[in-house]
Amino acid sequence: MAIEFTKYHGLGNDFILVDNRSSSTPVITPEQAIKLCDRHFGIGADGVIFALPGENGSNYTMRIFNSDGSEPEMCGNGIRCLAAFLADLEGVGASPVPNRQSPITYRINTLGGVMTPQLMSNGQVKVDMGLPKLLAGEIPTTLASSDEKVINRPLQVANQTWDVTCVSMGNPHCITFVEDVAAIPLEVIGPQFENHPVFPRRTNTEFIEVVSRDYVKMRVWERGAGITLACGTGACASLVAGVLTGKCDRMATVKLPGGPLHIEWSEIDQRVYMTGPAERVFTGKI
Ligand code: ZDP
């Protein structure tokens, strides 16, 4: 059976989007996703994203398979791409739409909770990413007792002690502030953070260089995907970690290898808002 797909990317974090609106079961298996994500033997992507029917009052459900076939709870760059994909599917305008009059909002059910992306008239997508989860038990990590926050806790990786802060944006993140992100040997230490026994569901790992209180540079090693050019949930988690450690303001630009994301951890409702691009690349059939 032929399956149509569309490639999108958010700051170079790229995904194969599949119209799965007529069934609640993904039409591609995790094993097939691994093959399709392969950059030499497949289409090439950091993950496969399915637009499924909504549940519990949401418009749609999003599910994702990482390029290693594992299934994360949430995906920040991916949900912006999903919003653009849905607008394309519904025929309410290809992305980006320069002349769109009013923003289009979707309520998206994910394994990490309900998220609300909004396609704005300038083509950017702003996502209400919900409340960050800060307690060790809900992240999850055993770095502290389950009802404690994990802020600047020592973690031994590669014969070094790192002061880490952990945040869940639906999916787990471990954030370390460093002097110079460019100097971090990500491909060596990334997998050691990801698979460290203190993270029972593994973890995404971000290294942050604070340039100023509202501008930080980030490099990421993603759980199940390795080095990627951007990670939306990681940028959100990192800003939250920056506020928790007193290094950042509540509104900041997070500069990723693929470009900038604007992140705000609202003082008013305590929710995290992420704004960034989502771009269609091409459509195909497999
Ligand atoms: O949590 C995980 O296993 C991540 N690899 C999911 C993908 C996260 C993503 N890069 C993001 O932008 O949040 C899509």
Side-chain angles (χ1 to χ4, degrees):
M1 187 186 77
I3 295 173
E4 278 188 38
F5 67 90
T6 307
K7 261 295 293 280
Y8 283 80
H9 78 90
L11 300 176
N13 193 195
D14 58 342
F15 304 98
I16 299 163
L17 278 284
V18 177
D19 179 1
N20 213 120
R21 290 176 298 169
S22 51
S23 145
S24 304
T25 311
V27 294
I28 289 170
T29 64
E31 294 70 32
Q32 290 170 325
I34 296 171
K35 289 189 180 154
L36 296 178
C37 287
D38 190 288
R39 297 196 183 277
H40 303 287
F41 295 97
I43 301 162
D46 293 325
V48 180
I49 294 180
F50 304 91
L52 302 137
E55 285 166 25
N56 315 321
S58 64
N59 302 113
Y60 295 99
T61 297
M62 171 173 82
R63 287 183 60 185
I64 320 141
F65 295 147
N66 283 319
S67 53
D68 76 348
S70 61
E71 179 168 14
E73 304 82 352
M74 234 309 267
C75 177
N77 288 320
I79 203 164
R80 293 200 317 278
C81 293
L82 179 79
F85 181 54
L86 289 170
D88 286 347
L89 285 179
E90 292 179 350
V92 288
S95 56
V97 178
N99 299 318
R100 191 180 287 130
Q101 292 306 311
S102 56
I104 299 168
T105 303
Y106 294 109
R107 277 174 63 78
I108 307 290
N109 189 42
T110 76
L111 296 176
V114 174
M115 310 288 158
T116 318
Q118 187 172 65
L119 289 140
M120 303 195 303
S121 50
N122 61 5
Q124 292 262 307
V125 186
K126 178 174 183 178
V127 188
D128 173 354
M129 300 280 283
L131 302 170
K133 298 193 188 93
L134 305 178
L135 303 182
E138 52 189 8
I139 289 168
T141 174
T142 55
L143 264 173
S145 50
S146 62
D147 55 354
E148 280 183 309
K149 291 178 186 162
V150 184
I151 302 173
N152 280 330
R153 298 268 177 154
L155 177 66
Q156 282 286 126
V157 173
N159 297 321
Q160 241 179 290
T161 305
W162 308 78
D163 284 332
V164 305
T165 298
C166 298
V167 173
S168 166
M169 290 304 306
N171 55 354
H173 293 272
C174 172
I175 297 104
T176 307
F177 293 92
V178 296
E179 286 289 306
D180 178 9
V181 274
I184 295 294
L186 252 193
E187 44 303 303
V188 181
I189 59 170
Q192 299 184 40
F193 276 87
E194 177 185 0
N195 297 296
H196 199 290
V198 297
F199 302 113
R201 278 196 242 148
R202 304 192 283 157
T203 192
N204 295 286
T205 303
E206 287 83 19
F207 293 92
I208 302 293
E209 177 181 331
V210 179
V211 178
S212 68
R213 293 191 61 83
D214 63 359
Y215 189 90
V216 303
K217 288 186 194 169
M218 165 176 149
R219 285 178 70 208
V220 56
W221 176 272
E222 275 189 40
R223 174 181 68 172
I227 293 176
T228 59
L229 294 177
C231 178
T233 50
C236 294
S238 297
L239 188 269
V240 169
V243 173
L244 292 174
T245 54
K247 296 176 198 297
C248 293
D249 294 339
R250 281 182 165 257
M251 222 190 266
T253 298
V254 179
K255 175 72 170 58
L256 298 130
L261 284 174
H262 179 77
I263 313 290
E264 178 182 2
W265 186 17
S266 167
E267 191 131 42
I268 298 163
D269 60 16
Q270 299 301 319
R271 302 171 84 84
V272 181
Y273 295 88
M274 168 191 67
T275 308
E279 312 215 6
R280 177 163 19 82
V281 189
F282 64 90
T283 296
K285 216 179 249 183
I286 32 156

